[in-house]
Amino acid sequence: MTKEPGTETAPARFKDLALDALDHQGLADWWCAALGYVRGPWEPAQETPRRPRHWPVPITDPAGEGPLIWLNPVPEPKTLKNRLHLDVYGDVAALLDLGATRLSAPDPENGVTWHVLADPEGNEFCVFTPKA
């Protein structure tokens, strides 16, 4: 028996993003400044609780448009290329002023129209020109 397209039930649904960090508190602050996010409640219905500093930090888009991102503490620094990264629309100069590092610039001759930057802990992310 075949199903109509769109009627299948997937075994999973997207919930949140998680980013590991050596200094998860500092990196949460950095991403809040970069994205205009705020430290969010643990659960959407709760007020922001007082959380022990060693617990993961949730950050959220106050406009409700972006995903919730968890900054999770890990004991080791990043060593290799990310397997998952964020793509953002943004101002490269402002992100560099915040402490990002430029890894590569656009190369239109080869079809690359975005910048690749790294956050203060070396996590790569791509920056695209904002839509007009």
Side-chain angles (χ1 to χ4, degrees):
M1 176 182 219
T2 59
K3 292 184 177 184
E4 291 293 320
T7 62
E8 306 86 21
T9 301
R13 288 185 312 125
F14 180 80
K15 181 182 176 294
D16 303 326
L17 291 175
L19 182 60
D20 292 344
L22 192 60
D23 175 10
H24 69 295
Q25 296 288 340
L27 203 58
D29 291 340
W30 191 87
W31 278 107
C32 281
L35 295 173
Y37 270 42
V38 295
R39 287 175 179 245
W42 192 352
E43 294 296 331
Q46 294 178 340
E47 291 183 23
T48 303
R50 292 191 180 267
R51 300 169 51 80
R53 288 195 56 78
H54 65 280
W55 284 12
V57 176
I59 63 172
T60 187
D61 179 353
E65 295 179 10
L68 184 121
I69 302 172
W70 287 92
L71 283 291
N72 298 318
V74 295
E76 71 282 340
K78 179 185 167 298
T79 57
L80 301 172
K81 184 179 181 333
N82 297 15
R83 292 292 182 129
L84 176 73
H85 67 267
L86 300 181
D87 284 350
V88 301
Y89 292 111
D91 178 338
V92 171
L95 291 163
L96 293 170
D97 286 347
L98 279 176
T101 302
R102 184 187 315 271
L103 300 180
S104 67
D107 182 4
E109 289 182 16
N110 290 311
V112 177
T113 59
W114 57 90
H115 295 261
V116 179
L117 303 183
D119 71 18
E121 289 205 6
N123 299 299
E124 297 97 356
F125 62 102
C126 296
V127 183
F128 293 79
T129 302
K131 292 182 177 181

